Amino acid sequence: MKFNLMLFTMVSALISNGIHAEEQVQNVPPQQKTWGASIGIDYSRNGYEDNHYLADRNLALTATINYYLNSDTKFSAIISGRHSYDGERGEFWSDIWLTATRYNIWNPTDNLAMSAGARILIPVSEESIKNDLQTAIRGNIKFSYSLDHVIEGLLVSDSIRLRKNFHQYTTAGAHPLEEYRVSNLFSVEYTPNKWFFSTNLVSSKSWSYRGKSYSPELTYSAEIGYQFNDEFSLAAGLTNSATYYDPDRGPNPLENLFELEKPTYYITLNYDF
């Protein structure tokens, strides 16, 4: 079945049941809901001209179905796909993630809270199938500090994450595959009235099945948006990544992290049920 037809079928089914786009910020689930969901449609591109060989333009759909066990526990299924206009053109599925999040595990003060989460991957993407990825699991511990007493709507958080991949083989041809990845996500969020702003910095380090370590990576993102009502929100943002190389292997690419052509820019419309 064609991807476009599957997208239409999935959207129709999800609209009738409720959806939620993939969460960038995991807020405490509302107590009055048992099921919730949303859909996000976004267009992304980098700063190169449309006819440039490095141009990268995509139209994507992300849908999430949430189940709230109680006021502190949430389960989610995240499904997404995209249409690529450049490079290898066509329709592509992303891997499906099943997640569980537990909030308010530890609240030593009124402003500080600890949460934890786990997720498991169902491989459906072209890359995962090509590399014989059977599944992956990721766990995280997150600390959130509310600065409402300083500026209303300001929240700072830090999350430590560990991912373990399970491939059928340790290499894909001569290419070693990643087994472990440790990452740290630092986030600042500000939500004045119906506006929202967030900026994230992710640093990560990974190892292959044979113990080889890869150069650390740094990913930066920023987003600004507006919540029109309980259902609709619109946001625009950018994200970019760089790898720390040993100086003996060439120039440090961190200076490229904030170049205007390299980041991916996006605009997304979300509908919450």
Side-chain angles (χ1 to χ4, degrees):
M1 182 181 292
K2 294 287 187 178
F3 178 85
N4 289 337
L5 180 56
M6 287 190 288
L7 269 185
F8 178 80
T9 304
M10 184 177 73
V11 172
S12 301
L14 289 172
I15 287 177
S16 64
N17 292 293
I19 327 176
H20 186 124
E22 180 174 3
E23 58 229 334
Q24 295 182 346
V25 176
Q26 294 187 342
N27 298 314
V28 176
Q31 298 185 24
Q32 71 273 15
K33 299 178 70 174
T34 300
W35 289 93
S38 73
I39 187 169
I41 300 175
D42 68 82
Y43 174 76
S44 64
R45 62 167 300 148
N46 57 20
Y48 293 99
E49 297 289 338
D50 293 353
N51 58 355
H52 196 281
Y53 76 100
L54 291 176
D56 186 14
R57 298 169 295 162
N58 296 276
L59 181 65
L61 173 71
T62 301
T64 304
I65 301 175
N66 297 315
Y67 172 72
Y68 304 95
L69 181 64
N70 53 48
S71 60
D72 290 324
T73 307
K74 181 177 73 172
F75 299 94
S76 303
I78 304 168
I79 307 165
S80 61
R82 65 183 176 89
H83 174 82
S84 175
Y85 295 95
D86 301 291
E88 188 177 357
R89 302 181 183 185
E91 290 76 33
F92 305 93
W93 288 107
S94 300
D95 293 322
I96 298 172
W97 283 102
L98 305 178
T99 73
T101 307
R102 176 71 177 179
Y103 303 90
N104 296 315
I105 294 176
W106 183 49
N107 299 90
T109 70
D110 291 338
N111 297 322
L112 181 63
M114 185 183 81
S115 61
R119 51 172 53 189
I120 184 168
L121 178 145
I122 300 175
V124 295
S125 70
E126 187 175 277
E127 181 179 4
S128 294
I129 294 173
K130 180 178 65 176
N131 291 330
D132 294 305
L133 178 63
Q134 297 173 317
T135 188
I137 56 175
R138 196 186 79 184
N140 74 279
I141 297 176
K142 179 179 178 180
F143 295 90
S144 301
Y145 187 72
S146 172
L147 292 170
D148 275 341
H149 57 289
V150 179
I151 301 176
E152 185 175 358
L154 183 61
L155 180 71
V156 177
S157 63
D158 190 75
S159 181
I160 302 168
R161 309 182 298 186
L162 173 63
R163 171 170 169 165
K164 169 71 169 73
N165 293 323
F166 296 88
H167 291 89
Q168 184 174 356
Y169 307 103
T170 60
T171 62
H175 175 64
L177 297 174
E178 179 185 276
E179 181 179 16
Y180 290 104
R181 174 177 289 261
V182 176
S183 61
N184 187 87
L185 166 62
F186 178 77
S187 177
V188 178
E189 306 153 33
Y190 179 47
T191 54
N193 299 318
K194 293 187 175 183
W195 289 92
F196 55 90
F197 169 80
S198 69
T199 182
N200 301 324
L201 193 64
V202 180
S203 57
S204 63
K205 176 75 173 178
S206 58
W207 294 264
S208 73
Y209 287 89
R210 298 181 178 180
K212 174 186 175 182
S213 62
Y214 298 97
S215 298
E217 293 180 356
L218 181 68
T219 300
Y220 168 78
S221 63
E223 180 178 280
I224 185 171
Y226 186 78
Q227 188 78 39
F228 294 99
N229 50 44
D230 291 341
E231 292 82 24
F232 283 101
S233 65
L234 182 68
L238 62 88
T239 181
N240 196 20
S241 297
T243 301
Y244 314 100
Y245 289 112
D246 187 310
D248 294 334
R249 296 174 56 189
N252 191 327
L254 292 181
E255 60 189 26
N256 298 329
L257 191 62
F258 301 101
E259 285 191 7
L260 296 180
E261 289 183 330
K262 304 232 169 139
T264 296
Y265 302 89
Y266 65 88
I267 183 169
T268 179
L269 176 66
N270 289 305
Y271 181 70
D272 295 310
F273 292 80

